[in-house]
Amino acid sequence: MRAIVRRWESAGIVPAEHALTYQGRLVQLTPAGTRLVIRADLDTGPAADHAAMGVIHQALVARARLRIEVRGVAGARVLGWVSARRWQVENVAMVRAAGPDPDGLVCLDDGTVGVVQVCHTVVEVQRIQPFLAELALRYPVVLVVIPEDLLPRTEGVLSRERRDRRGRAGDSLQIVAI
């Protein structure tokens, strides 16, 4: 596969960029590559042009969903998943407020609904702490999903958050490593 991607890069069909450490490379079509794969008689371009981080985030959310659905949450089985898109459609007023949106909701077999937030970096976890605190007040389970290599640093950041808000939101905040 690497040889093929190198050949495509040297032909000017794709750029291949490292997006996350040890997670492979992100390959996107250049305009020349797009012309090669689109039929001339259709005369259309790609429907949407996603930014690299958006694609990576979607992949991490999908990986988080799989991990959560297979292993469950705190001993409870997952019965359903509400995607971020569906949540946005059902909560139009909150979306207009321009706050961060959760990456999904999990419906557990004990009747509990939990919220899922995927973070790529420790800095992102620090940045969204006020949002996480707000979620912890509204939902009994808040799952912060992070890459496994960030686990020790994220636990330190979130343990301070738990200590600062103990009594207001309980221990609803949980870390899930993928």
Side-chain angles (χ1 to χ4, degrees):
M1 191 63 172
R2 289 183 184 139
I4 293 169
V5 171
R6 276 195 299 271
R7 231 178 308 143
W8 289 349
E9 277 185 300
S10 49
I13 297 170
V14 298
E17 303 168 348
H18 288 283
L20 294 174
T21 306
Y22 306 116
Q23 296 294 321
R25 298 182 341 167
L26 184 64
V27 178
Q28 295 179 321
L29 289 172
T30 63
T34 303
R35 284 192 298 276
L36 287 174
V37 297
I38 293 178
R39 291 180 21 204
D41 57 337
L42 292 178
D43 195 23
T44 60
D49 194 13
H50 296 289
M53 289 310 290
V55 173
I56 291 169
H57 188 78
Q58 289 174 351
L60 288 175
V61 170
R63 189 184 304 172
R65 178 180 180 175
L66 179 63
R67 195 280 191 198
I68 291 167
E69 286 181 342
V70 168
R71 295 187 184 166
V73 176
R77 286 185 322 114
V78 175
L79 296 179
W81 177 277
V82 177
S83 69
R85 177 72 181 133
R86 183 169 153 204
W87 182 88
Q88 290 169 350
V89 168
E90 293 173 357
N91 296 282
V92 174
M94 292 178 76
V95 172
R96 284 189 194 136
D101 297 335
D103 292 312
L105 299 174
V106 290
C107 304
L108 305 176
D109 64 353
D110 62 359
T112 305
V113 175
V115 64
V116 178
Q117 188 66 42
V118 177
C119 296
H120 306 183
T121 64
V122 175
V123 173
E124 186 177 5
V125 173
Q126 291 171 332
R127 183 180 54 79
I128 67 166
Q129 277 187 349
F131 178 60
L132 293 174
E134 178 186 325
L135 290 175
L137 293 172
R138 293 190 319 194
Y139 294 96
V141 176
V142 177
L143 302 173
V144 179
V145 182
I146 56 160
E148 195 166 346
D149 57 334
L150 300 179
L151 188 60
R153 292 181 55 209
T154 302
E155 284 177 335
V157 168
L158 291 179
S159 68
R160 285 191 300 275
E161 175 68 18
R162 285 183 184 133
R163 188 177 52 244
D164 292 346
R165 65 178 173 75
R166 185 165 302 279
R168 289 191 313 226
D171 290 327
S172 61
L173 202 58
Q174 298 177 27
I175 301 171
V176 177
I178 54 171

